[in-house]
Amino acid sequence: MKFRPFLIVMMLLCAVGCRPSATMIIRGTAPSECEGLNVYLVPQPFPKAEEVDSTVIREGRFEFRVDASQERMCDITISLKSRVPFQRLLVAIEQGELEVVIDTISVGGGTPMNDDLTEWKNVMTEAGTRADELRAQILVEDDQAVIDSLKQEMEQGYAVAGLRTVEIIERNLNPMGGFVYQSIERMLDEATRQRLIDLGIEEWKPKRE
């Protein structure tokens, strides 16, 4: 009987130790010209060489299996030896399966934070593309009233993108939301910034160790 407490403790420890750890599986594709090159998973925004993970592109595909017990942000990027242009992809490491495409325009999705990250990327891309179109029109326009209207449309487009970005941050009080918040913090008006601070977003801002 005196061994029963000891056995119970050991069984509990075993049960805890045998639980599956949180894992993220990242499955990706890359241009055929990148066959055999390394693809890297780089911590952001403060990368350390010892924390960089890598794998090799085979038959246009690659895969990472990473510990997701601690949520964090990373870039997926291909070796500088690549002869074709590609866009680095910012991803959130969280439990689940993520599908990514690395190409001239890189995309990813399949987990909650990464789906919101893709939404934010699309919001900013659309706003930037439209602003470039409007600037081109302004350069060739002579009518000041039309120029003023085009500038107003540009400002409204950026304002809408800003509101949608804040909405994404508000529903992501996590490393992804903290990363986005840090990138736009200086552009926020004081009331919006204070609202996000009151929600606790400062806790999730990236910090250099």
Side-chain angles (χ1 to χ4, degrees), residues 116-128:
D116 272 353
L117 196 58
T118 295
E119 179 184 342
W120 179 57
K121 180 180 178 179
N122 291 339
V123 165
M124 300 308 292
T125 298
E126 290 168 7

Side-chain angles (χ1 to χ4, degrees), residues 15 29 37 49 62 66 69 85 94 101 116 129 139 141 157 170 178 192 197 208:
T29 62
L37 294 181
F62 61 88
V66 297
S69 57
E94 60 181 325
V101 176
D116 272 353
T129 299
L139 287 175
E141 184 58 60
E170 287 176 331
T192 301
I197 289 174
R208 187 184 295 275

Side-chain angles (χ1 to χ4, degrees), residues 26-39:
I26 303 173
R27 297 187 179 93
T29 62
S32 58
E33 295 89 344
C34 296
E35 185 70 16
L37 294 181
N38 285 340
V39 55

Side-chain angles (χ1 to χ4, degrees), residues 20 23 30 43-44 79 88 131 141 150 160 163 176 178 184 194 198:
T23 301
Q44 294 296 329
S79 168
R88 297 167 68 103
E141 184 58 60
L150 293 171
V160 170
L163 288 173
M176 192 278 279
I184 68 162
Q194 189 58 54
D198 291 342

